Amino acid sequence: STAAVVQINPVPTVTSVLGNNAVCMGSNTTYTNTTTGGVWSSTNPNIASVNAAGQINGLQAGSSTINYTVTNSFGCSTIASKTIVVNPVPSAITQVNGNTTFCTGGSVTLVAPPADNYLWSNGAATQNITVNTSGNYSVTASLSGCTGTSIPVTVTVNALPSTTITASATALCPGATATLSVPTAATYIWSNGANTPSIATATPGSYSVTVTNAAGCTATSAPV
């Protein structure tokens, strides 16, 4: 018989992929391997790219796998793989329940996206806050170790109009007239039906006025 020589080529030895097991969506993360000469790759759709330095970017939420392939001079390859859990970053959108512009005495509720914990710009640590003062409100939320900060929501609280009635007199002799006035506003409705900033009356009674300012805020005076 004729002898045949069979050569079994060795496969390279590759160490484990080093790096975080859990990362945040959209982060840029670098992975390493102590074995040199390898090529990084991934066929997972949750990873946008892996460059030659082991840097991955464009991660989407879910489970992703990266590979480090070492090929020796014989053409034999060994692959070291690492599965990465990609956690979502809390949304940068704050839900607004109500109008963000209102009059004193009103309020609006701001709702953060679902997360593990919250910190609002006013110091609150709940998912929802009720706001009744003017300002810019944002929330930093953390979910599975990933943190996101919302775009600020501007709340404007308009003041109520002044309704203090100034009376020239509140006790009259027969035939005399009293003048009742309120500060300047947009519209006026007196209890006697007048719609001017001042009224003159010689009739005994209780007088009040409902005033609306330029911002659309309305208030009613105490009776005189």
Side-chain angles (χ1 to χ4, degrees):
S1 64
T2 302
V5 177
V6 177
Q7 178 175 321
I8 301 176
N9 296 320
V11 294
T13 300
V14 182
T15 59
S16 299
V17 175
L18 304 177
N20 294 329
N21 294 325
V23 295
C24 297
M25 185 175 67
S27 65
N28 295 328
T29 306
T30 300
Y31 289 85
T32 60
N33 197 294
T34 56
T35 305
T36 59
V39 176
W40 293 96
S41 66
S42 174
T43 58
N44 195 304
N46 288 340
I47 295 178
S49 65
V50 185
N51 65 19
Q55 295 173 329
I56 61 176
N57 60 71
L59 290 170
Q60 300 302 311
S63 179
S64 297
T65 302
I66 59 172
N67 302 314
Y68 185 71
T69 303
V70 177
T71 303
N72 62 18
S73 59
F74 299 106
C76 299
S77 300
T78 299
I79 300 175
S81 299
K82 189 176 188 69
T83 299
I84 308 160
V85 176
V86 183
N87 293 314
V89 175
S91 171
I93 299 175
T94 299
Q95 179 181 336
V96 179
N97 293 344
N99 294 323
T100 56
T101 299
F102 49 87
C103 301
T104 299
S107 65
V108 62
T109 299
L110 306 181
V111 183
D116 296 328
N117 54 70
Y118 314 88
L119 180 60
W120 290 86
S121 51
N122 67 347
T126 54
Q127 183 177 5
N128 302 352
I129 60 172
T130 299
V131 175
N132 56 15
T133 57
S134 296
N136 294 320
Y137 295 85
S138 61
V139 61
T140 298
S142 297
L143 179 65
S144 299
C146 299
T147 300
T149 300
S150 69
I151 298 170
V153 174
T154 299
V155 174
T156 302
V157 181
N158 293 315
L160 299 177
S162 173
T163 58
T164 302
I165 297 176
T166 301
S168 62
T170 56
L172 303 174
C173 296
T177 300
T179 299
L180 308 180
S181 303
V182 289
T184 302
T187 62
Y188 319 84
I189 300 177
W190 290 86
S191 52
N192 67 350
N195 57 8
T196 54
S198 300
I199 60 172
T201 180
T203 305
S206 180
Y207 293 85
S208 62
V209 61
T210 297
V211 180
T212 302
N213 62 18
C217 297
T218 299
T220 300
S221 71
V224 171

